[in-house]
Amino acid sequence: MNIRKKLLVAALAAAVCMPVAADDHEGEKDPMLFIMELTVQHGHGKAFRDAMTAYMGCYEENGGETGWSTWAPVDGEPNEMWVVSSIDMWSELDNQDAAEETCWSEHSTELTSHVSNANRRIYRRMGDWSGDAEGYSVVKLHNFRVDDGEAFREVVGEIVDMMKDAESEHMGTWYGSVSQQRWAADYFVVEHFDNFAAMDADRDGPNDVMTEALGEEGASEVWDRFDDALADMEPYWNNILRRVDSLSYSPDDE
C-alpha cells in the first residue's frame, strides 16, 4: 500500500512528516495512525462527497484492500473532513496498490479540485495506556502539547495505572506523535461514544478515580504535576468528531 492510497489525497502535497524516535510506551505491534485533515472549499461540500463516493466505488470495484474512516468535526470549521487510516509497519508504504493507482489517475483531478488545504499527521497508538473500544460513532480527542515529555509520561502512567486498578470502564485510547509539526499535539487521548446520546451520560473519569484512590489533596498534587509538564502556549484543546459512514471504506464489509 502506498501513501496516497492510505490517505486518499496525498497527491495534494500535504506536509511531509519525519519520523522520530519512539518513547518507551511504544509497543512493537502498536499501529501507526495516519490523519489527513482536509479543508473542503466553501460551497463544494456536496461535490466533494460525490467525488469521494465515485473514488470509493472505483476502489471497491477494483478490489481495493485498504480501509479508512472519515470523520467530520462537530465543532470548529464546518467544512473540514478527517480521513483516518493505519499501518503496522513503515514498510507497508512501499507496497503497490493497483486499485489505488487505477482509481487515483481517474478521479484525483475531480476530488482534489474541491479541497483547499490538506495536512497529514502521524501518531502511534500507546497500548500500555489504552483500553479497548469498538462500535463507536462519536469521539472526543483531548490534545496535549508537552514541554517535559519524561515528566508527562511518568504522571500519565500513574493516572492510567490507577484507572486500571479501579477497572475503569472508560479507558481512552492514547496516541503519541511520530511526526514533528509546529503547534501539533504531542499526545492525544480519545474518548469513545456509541452515539451523541452517550455523551449525556455521567462517567467516572480520571479525577473521580484519583480522588477515590488518593483523596482530593492527593489528586490535586497529581494534576499539578500534569500541568507542569505541559507547554506554556497552546497546552490543551479538544475536538469532537462524528464518523461519516458513507465516506468510510472497509474491505471486510464488502
Side-chain angles (χ1 to χ4, degrees):
M1 74 191 66
N2 59 43
I3 195 65
R4 289 188 311 175
K5 176 193 66 178
K6 294 298 298 179
L7 304 176
L8 282 183
V9 289
L12 294 170
V16 175
C17 298
M18 182 66 68
V20 297
D23 62 53
D24 292 339
H25 286 80
E26 181 180 301
E28 292 183 0
K29 296 183 180 180
D30 287 331
M32 285 181 283
L33 197 71
F34 283 63
I35 303 173
M36 178 71 88
E37 295 183 31
L38 304 176
T39 302
V40 179
Q41 296 186 54
H42 289 288
H44 288 238
K46 183 180 184 304
F48 170 81
R49 289 171 178 265
D50 290 346
M52 186 87 158
T53 300
Y55 176 89
M56 291 170 57
C58 176
Y59 191 69
E60 176 186 351
E61 184 178 336
N62 283 272
E65 297 180 351
T66 298
W68 63 83
S69 59
T70 301
W71 299 79
V74 176
D75 53 351
E77 290 289 337
N79 57 328
E80 286 189 357
M81 290 284 181
W82 293 21
V83 180
V84 181
S85 58
S86 66
I87 61 173
D88 293 319
M89 302 287 292
W90 286 106
S91 59
E92 294 178 45
L93 300 181
D94 294 325
N95 299 339
Q96 298 299 309
D97 181 353
E100 187 274 339
E101 294 292 341
T102 297
C103 298
W104 189 256
S105 63
E106 181 178 344
H107 295 278
S108 60
T109 300
E110 176 64 20
L111 181 58
T112 59
S113 69
H114 306 297
V115 176
S116 61
N117 189 50
N119 183 49
R120 180 177 63 242
R121 295 179 287 124
I122 307 173
Y123 292 85
R124 189 181 291 275
R125 186 179 186 273
M126 305 178 73
D128 290 351
W129 289 0
S130 300
D132 297 318
E134 59 183 15
Y136 51 88
S137 63
V138 178
V139 295
K140 185 173 184 179
L141 277 60
H142 300 271
N143 305 277
F144 304 99
R145 292 185 61 248
V146 174
D147 270 347
D148 189 334
E150 182 177 356
F152 181 84
R153 291 189 292 272
E154 180 180 350
V155 70
V156 172
E158 293 175 12
I159 295 171
V160 168
D161 285 344
M162 281 185 274
M163 295 188 71
K164 288 181 178 179
D165 290 341
E167 298 182 350
S168 173
E169 297 180 0
H170 302 295
M171 294 284 294
T173 304
W174 279 89
Y175 292 89
S177 177
V178 292
S179 60
Q180 294 177 314
Q181 290 191 37
R182 188 178 185 185
W183 305 118
D186 297 307
Y187 299 89
F188 68 86
V189 58
V190 184
E191 278 189 278
H192 309 87
F193 302 91
D194 292 342
N195 48 41
F196 284 111
M199 298 185 73
D200 294 325
D202 291 332
R203 289 185 172 186
D204 287 338
N207 190 62
D208 301 293
V209 172
M210 288 197 298
T211 300
E212 179 69 23
L214 305 174
E216 291 187 4
E217 184 174 345
S220 179
E221 291 176 356
V222 174
W223 285 125
D224 286 343
R225 290 167 52 211
F226 182 91
D227 290 341
D228 289 343
L230 298 179
D232 291 332
M233 298 181 64
E234 300 286 347
Y236 169 79
W237 66 96
N238 62 60
N239 308 97
I240 301 173
L241 304 104
R242 60 176 178 82
R243 180 183 170 101
V244 184
D245 289 332
S246 61
L247 300 181
S248 302
Y249 177 77
S250 175
D252 296 335
D253 294 340
E254 303 306 324

